[in-house]
Amino acid sequence: MEFSAFYDQALMRKGGETALQALLPPVVEKSRLAEISDDRYLSEMTRCIFKAGFVWRVIENKWADFEEAFQGFVPAYWQQVPPEVLEELAKDERIVRNLQKIRTVPENARMIMDVAKDHGSFGRFLADWPGTDQAGLLLYLKRNGCRLGGNSAQYFLRRVGWDGFILSRDVVTALTRAEILDASPASQKGLKQVQAAFNQWHEETGLPFSHLSRIVSFTVDN
């Protein structure tokens, strides 16, 4: 299916070219990902994990307190933090006291540190990963990280500026309706179907993957 069908429908729903363009996310040069320090990646992973299944606004409003409680999310420290530190955090009123999510911090810190050993930094690892294989990156984060399945990893990548799609409810609805997706979007089969479609549209239009994703979402009533 050609992307023009989605684009024309999004234009009609959003009131024209100018209005549509204003709603598209900013695009970051991939080289800038390598300039972001690893503590910021651990911070953003944790923010997206805590947002999952919770009121996003609450997490955003408390995030300065999270930064203070987690002492800046330095991976070298958190990868080997004693269990009692995590238990104390579960009593800390500055943050959302969910011990299961708190325990993801050392797990993801270890992943970041392992990646940095091989690639120099986690940011360099992300910068080198091709946008045409976001499905592979999502599977990597799910297998090697903690609670980075579902949409958490997709929102993490979008927040740090990695150009990719997000399988929001509207995007999944649009792809299913267009008979592009006939499997669970969380499955390997579903991710491959989505990746193939977005790769085709990226080559066809030259648009960033994040723009393609957002435009597709605009074709669904909400």
Side-chain angles (χ1 to χ4, degrees), residues 9 53 68 97 108 123 126 155 196 205:
Q9 192 172 3
E68 182 179 304
R97 292 166 289 174
N108 289 326
L126 290 182
Y155 283 111
T205 66

Side-chain angles (χ1 to χ4, degrees), residues 25-34 36 41 44 122-141 153-166 195 198-199 202 208-211 213:
V27 178
V28 176
E29 289 293 330
K30 264 203 160 187
S31 59
R32 289 184 58 189
L33 294 171
I36 300 173
Y41 285 115
E44 289 301 339
F122 194 79
R124 172 52 58 192
F125 165 76
L126 290 182
D128 290 343
W129 197 288
T132 52
D133 186 29
Q134 182 179 346
L137 179 55
L138 294 175
L139 289 171
Y140 182 93
L141 294 173
Q154 296 170 33
Y155 283 111
F156 158 70
L157 293 173
R158 176 67 59 84
R159 282 191 64 90
V160 300
W162 198 89
D163 180 38
F165 54 77
I166 290 181
Q195 188 74 69
F198 277 99
N199 286 354
H202 178 66
F209 290 96
S210 56
H211 288 193
S213 175

Side-chain angles (χ1 to χ4, degrees), residues 42 78-79 103-112 144-146:
L42 182 57
W78 287 102
Q79 70 166 343
R103 285 174 173 161
T104 68
V105 176
E107 295 286 340
N108 289 326
R110 283 191 283 274
M111 176 185 66
I112 288 172
N144 294 280
C146 186

Side-chain angles (χ1 to χ4, degrees), residues 16 21 32 38 40 43 64 105 114 121 131-133 137 140 143 170 173 175 186 188 195 202 205-206 210 220:
Q21 291 297 321
R32 289 184 58 189
D38 286 348
R40 294 302 85 206
S43 172
V105 176
D114 288 343
S121 71
T132 52
D133 186 29
L137 179 55
Y140 182 93
R143 289 169 178 166
D170 288 347
T173 297
L175 296 179
Q188 290 193 37
Q195 188 74 69
H202 178 66
T205 66
S210 56
V220 174

Side-chain angles (χ1 to χ4, degrees), residues 83-99:
E84 53 267 26
V85 172
L86 304 180
E87 291 166 6
E88 284 301 311
L89 280 168
K91 304 172 187 176
D92 194 325
E93 295 183 357
R94 292 174 295 177
I95 68 172
V96 173
R97 292 166 289 174
N98 183 317
L99 184 56

